[in-house]
Amino acid sequence: TLCPNISLLLMNLFLMKYGGDQAVACYAVVSYASCIVYLMLQGVGDGCQPLFSDYYGKGDLKSLEKVQTIAFAAAEAVGVLCFGLLFLTRNHIGSLFGASPKVCAAVADRMPVILAGFLFLAAARVVTSGFYATGQSGRSVVLVYAEEVFLLALLLILPGYFGETAVWWSMSGAQMLVGVWAVVMGVRSR
C-alpha cells in the first residue's frame, strides 16, 4: 500500500525538477488512469494467493503449477487488455480529467511509455503472491520494495543524461527490472 505512494512522490519530485508543472499535471492524469490497472493486477495476484497456499499446503504441486499457469495467463491478459485500451484512448484520457490541451497532448505522448511496464508488472504481482502463499515471504518483500529501489536508482541516474523523458522511462524500467527479476526468482525457487 505504501509503495505506490513512494513511486508517486519520487515521480512528482523528478518530474517537477526536469519537466515542471506541466509534467507533474501530466503524471497526475497518467497515474490516475494507471492506478486502475495496478489494482486489477494486484487483484489477480491476491485472488490466486489462497489457491496457491491451499495446494502448497496439501503438497499438490501439480495443481499448484496449474493455478500458477492460469494466474500468469490471467495477469498477462489483464495487462495486454489494459495496455490496448489505454493506448487506444490515450488521446482522450486527459480531457476526462479536465486537463488543458497541452497536458492532454503530453498524456497522449507519455502514456505509451508508462504502459510498457504493465506486462512485466503483471508477472511480478503473480510471483510475489506465490512467494507469500508458499512460505517465502522474505522473497516477496524483496520484490515489493525492489520496484521502489530500482525506480529511485534509475531516477538518480538517467534524467541527468536524458532529461524529462528518462523520468518517464524510469518508472517503466523499474517495473521491467522487477518483472524479470521476479520471473528469475520464481524459476529458481521451483
Side-chain angles (χ1 to χ4, degrees):
T1 304
L2 178 64
C3 287
N5 292 315
I6 293 170
S7 293
L8 183 69
L9 174 71
L10 291 173
M11 288 295 289
N12 281 335
L13 287 171
F14 281 85
L15 283 170
M16 182 59 81
K17 179 178 180 179
Y18 290 99
D21 293 341
Q22 184 175 322
V24 173
C26 178
Y27 183 66
V29 173
V30 169
S31 67
Y32 284 133
S34 300
C35 178
I36 296 165
V37 180
Y38 298 144
L39 291 173
M40 289 173 35
L41 293 175
Q42 189 65 42
V44 172
D46 290 350
C48 65
Q49 189 172 343
L51 293 172
F52 291 165
S53 184
D54 184 48
Y55 290 130
Y56 180 75
K58 290 178 181 176
D60 186 354
L61 300 182
K62 184 176 179 181
S63 294
L64 174 62
E65 190 171 307
K66 183 178 179 181
V67 172
Q68 285 176 329
T69 301
I70 293 169
F72 276 113
E76 293 301 328
V78 167
V80 167
L81 179 65
C82 291
F83 180 101
L85 287 172
L86 288 174
F87 183 80
L88 292 173
T89 60
R90 71 188 184 283
N91 293 314
H92 307 288
I93 292 173
S95 61
L96 290 174
F97 293 94
S100 70
K102 273 187 162 181
V103 171
C104 288
V107 168
D109 185 52
R110 299 294 191 236
M111 183 63 82
V113 174
I114 295 298
L115 297 176
F118 282 3
L119 301 179
F120 295 88
L121 188 62
R125 294 297 187 257
V126 173
V127 172
T128 301
S129 292
F131 283 150
Y132 273 130
T134 58
Q136 301 175 69
S137 58
R139 289 179 180 200
S140 189
V141 169
V142 166
L143 285 175
V144 168
Y145 292 107
E147 186 176 341
E148 307 314 311
V149 171
F150 286 144
L151 176 60
L152 179 59
L154 292 172
L155 286 170
L156 289 172
I157 297 167
L158 297 179
Y161 295 103
F162 304 107
E164 180 196 341
T165 301
V167 176
W168 293 93
W169 276 106
S170 294
M171 173 66 85
S172 292
Q175 292 170 347
M176 291 174 186
L177 289 169
V178 167
V180 169
W181 192 19
V183 170
V184 168
M185 286 176 69
V187 169
R188 284 186 178 173
S189 75
R190 282 188 169 182

